[in-house]
């Protein structure tokens, strides 16, 4: 564990130095520094995913916190931090983390759907509906978005909810059979 923390700290410090170092060099060096920074960020995400998969949530969180220092708009970092909070039973922290992620990476469908799921569990059906609609504008046949839209409509008492839920099932099975 100490070794992992030391590695994360070293990478974090390095990620702070790379961008500032890049500005003092010529274009080739700046590109090289950005490339190294991306490589570090990818490695942090890979390590976080492995730790998350293995249930080592503290380690995963350390990697993800470093990843955010490396790339503040990385949607995967916020997604997994939210998932860690959900696993730990802290729905409000998960909601906050997902909201922050959407602010930093507004195009992330995965974050929007996670936040919609959280909003549904908290009874905020209107916000969940808004989030699913924004995903469906880009991906009209996204089964999970249709499903969450159906749940949100059901929570709002809309009688069309059953049709949307049926469409979600049809869409999901159509994709799997192709």
């Amino acid at each position: 564990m100490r070794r992992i923390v030391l590695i994360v700290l070293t990478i974090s410090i390095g990620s702070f130095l790379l961008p500032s170092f890049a500005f003092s060099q010529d274009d080739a060096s700046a590109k090289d520094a950005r490339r190294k920074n991306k490589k570090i960020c990818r490695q942090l995400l890979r390590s976080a995913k492995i730790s998350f998969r293995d249930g080592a949530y503290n380690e995963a969180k350390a990697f993800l916190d470093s990843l955010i220092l490396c790339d503040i708009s990385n949607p995967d970092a916020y997604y997994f931090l939210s998932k860690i909070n959900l696993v730990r039973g802290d729905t409000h922290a998960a909601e906050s983390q997902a909201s922050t992620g959407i602010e930093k990476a507004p195009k992330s469908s995965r974050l929007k759907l996670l936040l919609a799921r959280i909003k549904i569990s908290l009874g905020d059906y209107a916000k969940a509906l808004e989030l699913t609609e924004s995903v469906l504008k880009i991906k009209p046949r996204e089964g999970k978005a249709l499903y969450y839209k159906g749940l949100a409509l059901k929570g709002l008492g809309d009688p069309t909810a059953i049709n949307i839920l049926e469409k979600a099932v049809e869409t999901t099975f159509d994709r799997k059979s192709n």
Side-chain angles (χ1 to χ4, degrees), residues 14-15 17-43 70-71:
S15 68
L17 295 177
L18 282 176
S20 61
F21 175 76
F23 290 116
S24 65
Q25 302 294 315
D26 62 347
D27 280 346
S29 295
K31 286 181 182 179
D32 188 47
R34 282 191 298 273
R35 202 170 312 128
K36 287 179 183 178
N37 195 37
K38 280 185 178 181
K39 186 176 179 180
I40 290 168
C41 292
R42 280 194 299 269
Q43 182 56 46
C70 182
D71 178 7

Side-chain angles (χ1 to χ4, degrees), residues 50-156:
I50 291 168
S51 296
F52 181 84
R53 182 197 64 209
D54 294 344
Y57 301 121
N58 289 335
E59 283 181 23
K61 185 179 180 326
F63 286 124
L64 293 167
D65 288 341
S66 295
L67 176 57
I68 288 174
L69 292 174
C70 182
D71 178 7
I72 196 161
S73 62
N74 189 302
D76 292 327
Y78 295 101
Y79 177 82
F80 283 106
L81 284 169
S82 293
K83 295 283 281 188
I84 288 169
N85 285 316
L86 286 175
V87 167
R88 292 178 172 168
D90 192 347
T91 307
H92 293 289
E95 176 186 23
S96 174
Q97 200 67 258
S99 294
T100 301
I102 291 170
E103 288 172 20
K104 303 291 183 184
K107 293 182 181 180
S108 175
S109 296
R110 188 160 83 152
L111 272 172
K112 289 178 184 177
L113 291 177
L114 178 61
L115 185 57
R117 186 177 114 199
I118 293 168
K119 292 293 188 180
I120 289 168
S121 73
L122 295 174
D124 188 354
Y125 303 113
K127 182 63 179 175
L129 184 59
E130 178 186 321
L131 289 161
T132 58
E133 288 291 346
S134 70
V135 172
L136 289 168
K137 282 180 185 175
I138 299 165
K139 300 176 180 179
R141 297 196 40 86
E142 174 64 45
K144 198 179 275 190
L146 288 166
Y147 177 70
Y148 292 151
K149 178 181 179 179
L151 292 179
L153 289 171
K154 183 176 182 252
L156 292 170

